[in-house]
């Protein structure tokens, strides 16, 4: 797990290629990140499945309750099959764009 911080956004990158252990680490250390927007980068794990990504729903709901964004970066999945409780994009650039848009919406009171 590699953690980079840019402004009010923290990027957590899965370096081991094991989605389940990554989810466990992120869940365990969530209190340290709850005041930041989060990007969970699974793009280096080509074996990440839609079923595994759906396991992040609870963490996403918890993080959004704190009025912060959580975006997952993953490749090679069916983006149409992702539940509405998750935001999953194919690149880091798109993840930053989503966070910027959500910040604007929160500032406007949406």
């Amino acid at each position: 797990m590699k953690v980079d911080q840019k402004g009010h956004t923290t990027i957590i990158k899965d370096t081991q290629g094991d989605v389940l252990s990554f989810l466990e680490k992120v869940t365990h250390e969530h209190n340290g990140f709850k005041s930041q927007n989060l990007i969970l980068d699974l793009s280096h794990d080509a074996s990440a499945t839609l079923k595994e990504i759906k396991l992040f729903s609870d963490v996403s709901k918890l993080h959004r309750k704190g009025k912060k964004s959580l975006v997952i970066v993953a490749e090679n999945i069916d983006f149409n099959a992702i539940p509405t409780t998750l935001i999953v994009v194919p690149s880091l650039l798109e993840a930053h764009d989503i966070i910027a848009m959500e910040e604007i919406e929160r500032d406007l009171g949406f």
Side-chain angles (χ1 to χ4, degrees):
M1 188 164 97
K2 181 180 175 190
V3 179
D4 289 327
Q5 193 163 3
K6 293 183 180 180
H8 49 77
T9 301
T10 300
I11 303 166
I12 305 173
K13 189 174 287 193
D14 178 21
T15 56
Q16 295 179 347
D18 183 0
V19 176
L20 297 178
S21 68
F22 180 65
L23 172 61
E24 186 177 309
K25 287 178 187 176
V26 169
T27 303
H28 184 269
E29 298 180 20
H30 181 260
N31 281 338
F33 303 119
K34 67 182 178 183
S35 64
Q36 295 281 312
N37 294 309
L38 287 181
I39 297 175
L40 303 180
D41 187 358
L42 302 173
S43 62
H44 290 69
D45 185 3
S47 66
T49 65
L50 181 62
K51 183 178 179 181
E52 291 173 325
I53 290 171
K54 286 180 180 180
L55 297 174
F56 286 87
S57 288
D58 291 339
V59 172
S60 179
K61 287 177 192 175
L62 178 65
H63 201 70
R64 290 183 175 284
K65 280 185 182 178
K67 303 269 188 228
K68 294 294 177 182
S69 300
L70 186 142
V71 181
I72 299 171
V73 178
E75 297 175 349
N76 303 323
I77 60 165
D78 181 7
F79 291 97
N80 294 323
I82 296 170
T84 58
T85 57
L86 291 174
I87 297 176
V88 183
V89 295
S91 72
L92 280 173
L93 179 61
E94 288 176 89
H96 285 288
D97 290 346
I98 293 285
I99 289 173
M101 287 188 296
E102 288 185 346
E103 284 283 316
I104 291 168
E105 287 175 357
R106 283 192 287 271
D107 288 346
L108 294 174
F110 290 102

